[in-house]
């Protein structure tokens, strides 16, 4: 048979995509859908020739058509026509007929025939198949060869008579009556009365049948979990025992001899049930009756019948399978009486045990994953139990779930759920979890469309299209969920909630089950079915396809109402009244679960916290109380329960620390006299001294006055936290309620200060529409707990009214309270002396007691064992990294523990005898997981000392062993957390006790350096670098160590460059610059001690300077251009930049430092030597480009000649230094003038550095008064020129030659400003300018100095009036236009030309736009993410009098401390004060999208 080629171009390469589509439909004759896929993917002829079968399969095209297309394509490329080698009728076969031929004539395994049918192998595709094509479909070589041979044999045989066959998926309802292999009659169905019963059995059976519904079987003891689901009613057992053998025997009789042999073969190798296979010896010489009895004895009646169904299915005896299933169904209906059809008596207990691991609380599992198919609105009513489960995600196959009446819609009415699609789970694990907010809020994943969205892409797909378009994404989603770093195996339960039947394997829900089955343990999956029939279809499908028995893991005989009631009755219990929050006017409101779901960052403390959760008279509550108290006193984190217990009758009060009253008074004081919408109060405390417990104790006692919450995760964006705090403040109330927020383990006050800014912004924006009367209640107090090794010193450095401290030292009263508490614990707990954290505090942190504990516990410590190594790792981490731990899952892997379900403490069991020092915590960060740590920081530290003292095990050896454990450095969320702790241990520096500066290196590095020196340090960092391959911080830290401690600059540079190569950012680039700078300083120091001069040293030092400046400039460029500076952290603190966003100007500081080192080097040259005024003048002239180096007088010798050559080689670099330094000083004038006060640690250090260098600059480039007089006397004709230069020099010395510098004089003596203005008057009179730029700059500065002088000394003779200054400014504005690079002239325009209430000046809009444009060019990068200060405010007078300087306003608040006043300005609460309201003119406007729109009859964007 032949086909004609379509009329297309002879050259395939010239075909368009339309031509390819035409060829596929007319020549190849594939389905139009497949041709359209090629068209949609832009497959041109030139691309088509390169296609292989895999490429076509990747388009979602089934295997059959793909083989056909490739076959035709090969023929086309060969230039030949398709000639079929088989009879014409073969090409006419449908895929069903191919399936029938394979079963009836080729007689291959049914699974292989089904595989071909699934891949659309019709006759026209089959004739194109080769052996390899069958192998690609997982058909073994034997069947593949036979198919090819039988296909060829059709040429010499008559056309086969194909007869319909039943498929194993049971889609066909009618069975054929003409199949040769079908038996003439179905096996006999037993009558109502069983056959062959003895008289006793018959009496018992009949009496069982007539038992009334009111009669009940005897009660049985609750079954063990592993036996759930296996109990059966008495009548079922009799019926099965009497009827099943007959049914099974008659079915086996229909097998011919060879088939019976095959049946025994499958039976011997069957592994689908919980039973062992039947031994070969037992199967020999058995007829059908004996074989049936043997199977029933081995498997039991029902299981034997199911085994038979599976084996017959594998043998392709579909007819027998159909009849046997039908008979089994009749058997159940006819042999069960009404009483026999009732549910299993233990189904409720079974459901409870499956969900709680045999307990009474849903807390047994950390997370639940639910897979649900289509539901009806009537069913949704009984699915409220989903609201109670800790859902990680729901995989929903109902496209109507999100519409009203759907399951998702119902869930979201009560709980928070984020709606996702499977494709959103692609990418790096941690990124996906962060972006989708997994583990914090339920993820509801729509796996087959969403009909609530009007989008064609969200339509529900039939199975064929779902398999092609969506199946891969769902399988990837399942793989993601089952990653141990996402959900821990054994602590997550996957629930298949079948609300509608799954009829066959062509169902997306079944494919999802197979995906979970592939990635997790069977015990982690349970099924809840809405009916028995749904369950039976589901069970049989899984048995047939997955060869596993799910009966133990399934619940099917409870109604949905009973399922809902059973789960809702499980703990933890929700009180009927709900969780309550305090509200205005001493009222309270209910905290809804959905609202709490939204506030994922906060652990909210309610008014009725812990109440009505348990039956407090029950033994369960008593056991829970003992456990919680024991965990806390051993060293666990304090829980609200601990305070609740102490409020109960007969209980002793919770121990109040000495600072309790101070902290309570401080909070109440600031709440009664609020000066801010958000207030920050700091509590500095030693690690492990009870600081967090004290803070939570205060919160517990203030829960009726504040809405209290603890920030659970410090890693969350501060803006997101602020929004949640605002929601808590406004929840269920028109009037805002005060909030007390605890921030624990904050490392810096600066970090919390940023949170204050975010909260203030969020609160003010929300309350902007509210009345002033609401303002006092619009308040958030942040209680910031800061771990510190010197809490008392830090307390003294801060405002003592806004902070407190607590140390590891108890007062006498506290010691007495602890002794009293111990006596109480002895009455309720066994061996309270083993509550080591409590005992440490009771002993007043006695080091001798702690050392004794460590010595006794570590007796016979053997580092060669895994448990000892793990304990040593924990001791190291817990000593040097606060709040560090190793996850339970990693600990199990390290110890070689295989996960056992329903058990949690096996790690502690394995860690004995060290487990007395260990505790398991739940870590909220990064989605939540459980980790193990040592009870107390002091115990960890003492254990390290004991290991070194008694076992000669140094911390360096433990650190190296930790770094050599590859298990800890694989990817994954919990591993990333551990890696972060290890990294912090190596690089994180502590504050010095006597100031804000930090130690040079981490405590661990300092200790190892002091003990063992460089080589050990370098070995550790080299190994760490091999583990932290994508982190720049480790090589960066090693570079710092090498250049600071060892002065090995070449090696340091190598590691600094490696860090920059890994991740180039401002900090790694800065480290390179620091290496060069340190090298340069070292060289200068060495040369100072040397008595000889070597010109080559100058060349070396200048080259180092060039490289250093280049590195610092690169660092500054990176800081200026990065898109999100707030997210860029210092990987290794970069010499002096350990805090986030601290690099804003540090590159400029580096350039300044290098420039002045170069000036120092030049000043030591023989012909520029310091101390000689003439030689100093030579250096000034050279650097100011007024004297070439060749004109500088120098002695004629070889050394000076070489110096001269070197300077000429680098002349361009050297001559640009002075200009570059001046530009940087002007930039810093802007920076320190415009940013708000309260400079951070590194801005303060930068300010000191810049000021110091400016003094050097003045000394170097300006003459002393004596030198000026001498010069004036020697050049009397140049007096005017010298006068001009002298005045300009004075202005530069006083920082008054810049606009920003003059603004700094607003709070300085009027006489200084008057002299500055006098000099500008002189310069304006002389009108001698180098260029137009200088003229405009001095005119602008002159106007500003006049304005300030008017404010400070309005009657000065140099003051010009408002009219004169306005005219001069208008003249200047005409000169500069609207494109001036600096905002200075437009700033003056706003000061002088802002319209009054009686005038309208539309030009002001132009100046507003101009200042915005110039500020963005000049200042936006410099001030990014920083608040700027306003120097002038608009008053109520006219002319210059309406400009009110900020220092004048500050004078109104002389009684307020400076820090408190600065806080009022920062958050804007200053404008609520009467003194401000009375002096300033209010301009109305609004804020939209971060822009200010001011209104004076028309809107002006500012």
């Amino acid at each position: 048979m032949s086909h004609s080629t379509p009329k297309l171009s002879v050259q395939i390469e010239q075909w368009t995509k339309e031509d390819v589509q035409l060829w596929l439909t007319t020549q190849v004759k594939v389905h139009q859908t497949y041709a359209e896929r090629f068209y949609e993917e832009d497959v041109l002829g030139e691309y088509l020739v390169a296609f292989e079968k895999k490429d076509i399969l990747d388009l979602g095209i089934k295997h059959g058509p793909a083989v056909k297309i490739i076959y035709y394509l090969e023929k086309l490329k060969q230039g030949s026509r398709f000639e079929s080698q088989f009879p014409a009728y073969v090409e006419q076969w449908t895929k069903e007929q191919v399936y029938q031929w394979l079963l009836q004539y080729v007689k291959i395994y049914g699974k292989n025939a089904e595989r071909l049918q699934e891949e659309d192998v019709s006759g026209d595709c089959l004739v194109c198949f080769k052996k390899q094509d069958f192998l690609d479909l997982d058909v073994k070589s034997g069947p593949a060869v036979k198919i090819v041979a039988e296909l060829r044999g059709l040429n010499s045989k008559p056309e086969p008579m194909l007869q319909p066959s039943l498929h194993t998926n049971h889609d066909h309802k009618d069975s054929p009556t003409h199949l040769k292999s079908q038996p003439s009659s179905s096996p006999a169905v037993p009558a109502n009365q069983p056959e062959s019963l003895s008289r006793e059995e018959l009496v018992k059976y009949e009496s069982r049948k007539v038992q009334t519904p009111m009669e009940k079987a005897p009660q049985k003891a609750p079954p063990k979990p592993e036996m759930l689901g296996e109990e059966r009613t008495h009548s079922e057992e009799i019926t099965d025992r009497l009827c099943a053998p007959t049914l099974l025997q008659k079915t086996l009789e229909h097998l011919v001899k060879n088939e019976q042999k095959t049946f025994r073969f499958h039976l011997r190798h069957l592994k689908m049930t919980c039973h062992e296979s039947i031994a070969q010896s037992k199967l020999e010489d058995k007829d059908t009756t004996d074989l049936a009895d043997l199977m029933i004895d081995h498997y039991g009646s029902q299981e034997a019948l199911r085994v038979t169904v599976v084996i017959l299915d594998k043998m392709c005896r579909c007819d027998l399978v159909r009849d046997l299933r039908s008979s089994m169904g009749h058997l159940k209906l006819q042999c069960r009486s009404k009483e026999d059809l009732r549910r299993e008596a233990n189904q409720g207990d079974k459901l409870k045990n499956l969900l709680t691991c045999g307990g009474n609380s849903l807390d047994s599992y950390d997370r639940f994953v639910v897979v649900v198919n289509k539901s009806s609105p009537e069913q949704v009513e009984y699915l409220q139990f989903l609201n109670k489960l800790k859902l990680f995600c729901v995989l929903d196959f109902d496209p109507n779930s999100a519409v009203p009446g759907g399951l998702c819609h119902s869930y979201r009415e009560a709980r928070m759920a984020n709606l996702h699609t499977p494709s959103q789970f692609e990418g790096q694990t941690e990124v996906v979890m962060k972006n989708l907010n997994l583990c914090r809020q339920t993820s509801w994943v729509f796996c087959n469309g969403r009909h609530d969205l009007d989008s064609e892409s969200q339509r529900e797909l039939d199975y064929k299209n779902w398999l092609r378009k969506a199946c891969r994404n769902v399988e990837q989603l399942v793989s993601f969920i089952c990653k141990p770093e996402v959900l821990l195996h054994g602590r997550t339960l996957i629930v298949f909630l079948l609300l509608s039947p799954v009829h066959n394997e062509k169902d997306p829900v079944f494919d999802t089950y197979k995906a979970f089955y592939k990635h997790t343990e069977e015990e982690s999956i349970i099924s809840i079915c809405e009916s028995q029939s749904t369950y039976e279809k589901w069970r049989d499908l899984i048995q047939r396809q997955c060869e596993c028995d799910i009966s133990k893991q399934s619940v099917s005989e409870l109604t949905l109402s009973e399922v809902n009631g059973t789960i809702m009755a499980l703990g933890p219990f929700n009180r009927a009244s709900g969780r309550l929050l305090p509200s205005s006017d001493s009222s309270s409101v209910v905290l809804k679960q959905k609202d709490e779901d939204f506030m994922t960052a906060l652990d909210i403390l309610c008014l009725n916290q812990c109440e009505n959760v348990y039956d407090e008279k029950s033994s369960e509550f008593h056991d829970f109380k003992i456990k919680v108290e024991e965990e806390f006193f051993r060293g666990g984190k304090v829980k609200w329960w601990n305070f609740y217990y102490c409020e109960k009758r007969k209980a002793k009060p919770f121990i109040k620390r000495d600072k309790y009253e101070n902290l309570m008074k401080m909070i109440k004081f600031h709440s009664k006299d609020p000066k801010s919408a958000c207030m920050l109060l700091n509590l500095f405390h030693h690690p492990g001294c009870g600081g967090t417990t004290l803070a939570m104790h205060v919160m517990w006692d203030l829960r009726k006055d504040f809405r209290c919450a603890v920030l659970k995760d410090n890693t969350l964006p501060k803006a997101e936290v602020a929004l949640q705090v605002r929601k808590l403040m406004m929840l269920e109330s028109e009037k805002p309620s005060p909030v007390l927020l605890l921030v624990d383990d904050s490392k810096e006050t600066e970090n919390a200060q940023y949170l204050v800014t975010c909260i203030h912004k969020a609160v003010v924006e929300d309350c902007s529409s509210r009345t002033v009367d609401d303002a006092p209640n619009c308040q958030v107090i942040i209680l910031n707990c800061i771990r510190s090794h010197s809490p008392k010193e830090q307390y003294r450095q801060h405002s003592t009214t806004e902070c407190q401290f607590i140390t590891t030292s108890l007062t006498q009263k506290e010691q007495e309270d602890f002794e009293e508490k111990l006596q109480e614990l002895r009455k309720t707990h066994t061996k309270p002396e083993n509550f080591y954290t409590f005992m440490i505090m009771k002993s007043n942190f006695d080091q001798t007691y702690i050392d004794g504990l460590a010595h006794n516990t570590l007796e016979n410590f053997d580092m060669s064992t895994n448990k000892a190594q793990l304990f040593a790792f924990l001791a190291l981490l817990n000593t040097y990294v606060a709040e560090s731990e190793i996850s339970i899952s990693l600990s199990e892997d390290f110890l070689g523990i295989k996960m056992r379900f329903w058990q949690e403490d096996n790690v502690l069991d394995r860690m004995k005898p060290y487990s007395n020092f260990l505790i398991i915590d739940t870590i909220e960060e990064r989605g939540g997981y459980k980790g193990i740590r040592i009870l107390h920081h002091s115990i960890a530290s003492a254990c390290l000392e004991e290991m070194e003292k008694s076992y000669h095990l140094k911390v360096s050896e433990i650190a190296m062993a930790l770094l050599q454990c590859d298990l800890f450095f694989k990817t994954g969320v919990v591993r990333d957390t551990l890696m972060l702790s290890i990294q912090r241990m190596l690089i994180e520096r502590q504050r010095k006790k006597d100031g804000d500066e930090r130690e040079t290196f981490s405590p661990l590095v300092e200790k190892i350096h002091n003990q063992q020196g460089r080589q050990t340090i370098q070995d550790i960092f080299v190994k760490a670098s091999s583990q932290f391959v994508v982190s720049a911080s480790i090589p960066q830290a090693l570079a710092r160590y090498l250049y600071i401690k060892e002065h090995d600059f070449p090696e340091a540079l190598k590691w600094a460059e490696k860090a920059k190569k890994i991740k180039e950012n401002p900090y790694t680039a800065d480290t390179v610059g620091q290496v060069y700078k340190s090298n340069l300083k070292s060289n200068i120091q060495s040369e100072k001690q040397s008595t000889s001069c070597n010109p080559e040293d100058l060349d070396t030092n200048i080259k180092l300077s060039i490289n250093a400046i280049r590195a610092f400039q690169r660092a500054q460029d990176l800081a200026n251009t990065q898109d999100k500076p707030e997210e860029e952290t210092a990987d290794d603190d970069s010499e002096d930049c350990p805090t986030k966003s601290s690099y804003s100007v540090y590159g400029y500081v580096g350039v300044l430092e290098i420039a002045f080192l170069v000036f120092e080097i030049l000043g030591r040259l023989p012909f520029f030597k310091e101390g000689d005024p003439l030689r100093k003048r030579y250096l000034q002239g050279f650097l100011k480009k007024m004297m070439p180096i060749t004109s500088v007088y120098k002695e004629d010798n070889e050394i000076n000649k070489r110096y001269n050559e070197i300077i000429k080689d680098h002349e361009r670099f050297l001559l640009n230094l002075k200009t570059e330094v001046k530009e940087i000083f002007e930039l810093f004038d802007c920076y320190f003038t415009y940013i708000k006060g309260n400079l951070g640690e590194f801005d303060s250090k930068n300010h000191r550095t810049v000021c110091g260098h400016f003094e050097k600059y003045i000394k170097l480039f300006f003459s002393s008064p004596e030198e000026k007089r001498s010069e004036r006397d020697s050049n009397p004709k140049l007096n005017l020129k010298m006068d001009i230069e002298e005045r300009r020099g004075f202005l530069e010395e006083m920082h008054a030659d810049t606009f920003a510098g003059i603004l700094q004089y607003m709070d300085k003596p009027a006489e200084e400003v008057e002299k500055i203005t006098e000099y500008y008057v002189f310069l304006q009179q002389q009108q001698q300018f180098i260029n137009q730029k200088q003229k405009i700059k001095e005119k602008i500065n002159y106007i500003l100095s006049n304005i300030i002088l008017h404010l400070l000394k309005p009657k000065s003779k140099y003051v010009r009036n408002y009219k004169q200054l306005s005219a001069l400014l208008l003249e200047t504005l005409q000169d500069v236009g609207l494109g001036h690079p600096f905002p200075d002239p437009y700033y003056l325009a706003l000061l002088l030309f802002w319209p009054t209430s009686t005038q309208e000046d539309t030009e002001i809009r132009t100046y507003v736009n101009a200042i915005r444009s110039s500020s963005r060019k000049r200042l936006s990068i410099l001030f990014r993410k920083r608040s700027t200060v306003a120097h002038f405010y608009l008053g109520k007078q006219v002319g210059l009098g309406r400009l009110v300087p900020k220092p004048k306003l500050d004078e109104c608040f002389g009684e307020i401390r400076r820090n408190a006043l600065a806080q009022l300005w920062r958050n804007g609460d200053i404008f609520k004060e009467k003194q401000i309201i009375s002096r300033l003119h209010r301009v109305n406007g609004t804020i939209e999208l971060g822009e200010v729109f001011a209104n004076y009859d028309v809107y002006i964007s500012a």
Side-chain angles (χ1 to χ4, degrees), residues 145 247 462 637 654 678 787 845 849-850 988 1032 1074 1462:
V145 171
L247 179 59
D462 58 27
K637 296 179 180 179
F654 200 88
C678 186
R787 270 186 194 82
F845 302 91
Y849 170 76
I850 299 170
E988 190 169 83
Q1074 297 293 345

Side-chain angles (χ1 to χ4, degrees), residues 1063-1080:
K1063 184 178 182 181
E1064 187 180 30
N1065 59 27
Y1067 308 101
T1068 53
D1070 178 86
T1071 301
V1072 175
Q1074 297 293 345
V1075 174
Y1076 285 121
K1077 185 181 80 172
S1078 297
N1079 196 353
L1080 186 60

Side-chain angles (χ1 to χ4, degrees), residues 1236-1300:
K1236 283 189 175 181
N1238 191 26
L1239 300 180
E1241 171 188 345
F1242 295 96
D1243 275 337
S1244 298
K1245 184 177 179 180
N1246 288 339
H1247 188 265
R1248 294 193 299 270
T1249 302
V1250 171
C1251 290
H1253 285 309
F1254 188 77
E1255 292 177 3
K1256 295 178 182 179
Y1257 174 83
I1258 296 301
K1259 184 178 179 181
L1260 176 61
F1261 290 103
F1262 292 88
S1263 303
S1264 65
E1266 294 78 11
E1267 291 171 340
K1268 292 177 183 178
R1269 282 195 298 271
S1270 175
E1271 188 174 357
R1272 187 181 293 275
D1273 293 341
S1274 61
N1275 297 286
K1277 295 182 179 180
L1278 299 177
N1279 278 345
L1280 177 60
K1281 181 180 179 182
M1282 294 178 67
D1283 284 342
I1284 294 174
E1285 289 183 358
E1286 185 175 326
R1287 283 162 173 76
R1288 285 185 174 138
F1290 170 81
L1291 294 173
E1292 187 172 354
E1293 288 182 50
M1294 302 298 292
H1295 292 279
D1297 63 329
T1298 65
F1299 192 87

Side-chain angles (χ1 to χ4, degrees), residues 516-572:
F516 275 111
Y517 184 75
K518 185 190 305 181
H519 289 288
T520 190
E521 302 289 337
E522 293 178 43
E523 293 87 347
S524 295
I525 308 174
I526 71 168
S527 300
I528 301 176
C529 302
E530 51 86 29
S531 67
Q532 183 69 14
S533 61
T534 296
Y535 162 68
E536 290 173 355
K537 292 176 182 177
W538 179 246
R539 177 201 63 199
D540 294 345
L541 184 61
I542 292 174
Q543 282 185 333
R544 189 170 62 253
Q545 297 292 327
C546 302
E547 297 189 350
C548 69
D549 184 1
I550 65 168
S551 59
K552 294 181 182 179
Q553 298 292 112
S554 301
V555 173
S556 60
E557 297 185 1
L558 296 177
T559 66
L560 286 179
S561 176
E562 291 168 326
V563 169
N564 188 59
T566 302
I567 298 177
M568 294 300 287
L570 296 174

Side-chain angles (χ1 to χ4, degrees), residues 406-508:
L407 178 57
C408 177
H409 186 274
S410 172
Y411 181 86
R412 296 184 81 200
E413 288 179 342
R415 299 293 302 265
M416 176 68 68
N418 300 313
L419 308 188
H420 298 135
T421 60
S423 61
Q424 291 178 270
F425 288 77
E426 296 180 1
Q428 294 183 353
T429 302
E430 191 163 359
V431 175
V432 172
M433 293 186 72
K434 179 180 178 181
N435 292 343
L436 302 186
N437 208 23
L438 302 180
C439 292
R440 305 185 191 283
Q441 293 171 332
T442 300
S443 171
W444 203 284
V445 190
F446 287 86
C447 299
N448 193 9
R450 277 183 63 185
H451 289 173
D452 60 308
L453 300 179
D454 188 15
S455 170
E456 190 62 32
S457 63
Q458 294 296 333
R459 295 295 93 191
E460 181 183 11
L461 301 174
D462 58 27
Y463 179 73
K464 179 178 178 181
N465 283 305
W466 183 88
L467 196 64
R468 182 165 61 90
K469 297 179 179 181
C471 181
R472 184 177 301 176
N473 287 335
V474 173
E475 288 177 344
Q476 190 276 332
L477 164 62
V478 172
S479 175
F480 177 91
I481 293 171
C482 294
K483 290 180 180 179
E485 57 265 33
V486 178
L487 294 176
L488 293 178
H489 294 165
R491 296 184 176 89
T492 303
L493 187 66
I494 298 141
V495 181
F496 275 76
L497 181 58
L498 301 186
L499 304 176
S500 54
V502 177
H503 293 286
N504 54 58
E505 66 269 22
K506 293 184 179 181
D507 191 303

Side-chain angles (χ1 to χ4, degrees), residues 1310-1324:
E1311 290 74 21
E1312 293 183 17
V1313 182
E1314 188 173 37
K1315 189 170 184 179
I1316 290 170
T1317 307
E1318 176 191 350
Y1319 280 14
Y1320 273 116
V1321 169
F1322 175 81
L1323 294 175
Q1324 290 298 305

Side-chain angles (χ1 to χ4, degrees), residues 732-763:
E732 298 292 328
S733 176
E734 296 182 358
K735 198 173 185 180
S737 299
V739 171
L740 180 59
L741 177 67
L742 173 60
V743 179
D744 190 23
D745 193 26
S746 177
K747 301 181 182 64
E748 305 290 344
T749 56
E750 290 86 350
N751 293 343
Q753 189 62 58
Y754 180 58
L755 176 59
V756 170
T757 302
C758 292
I759 291 177
H760 182 271
K761 180 180 178 182
V763 170

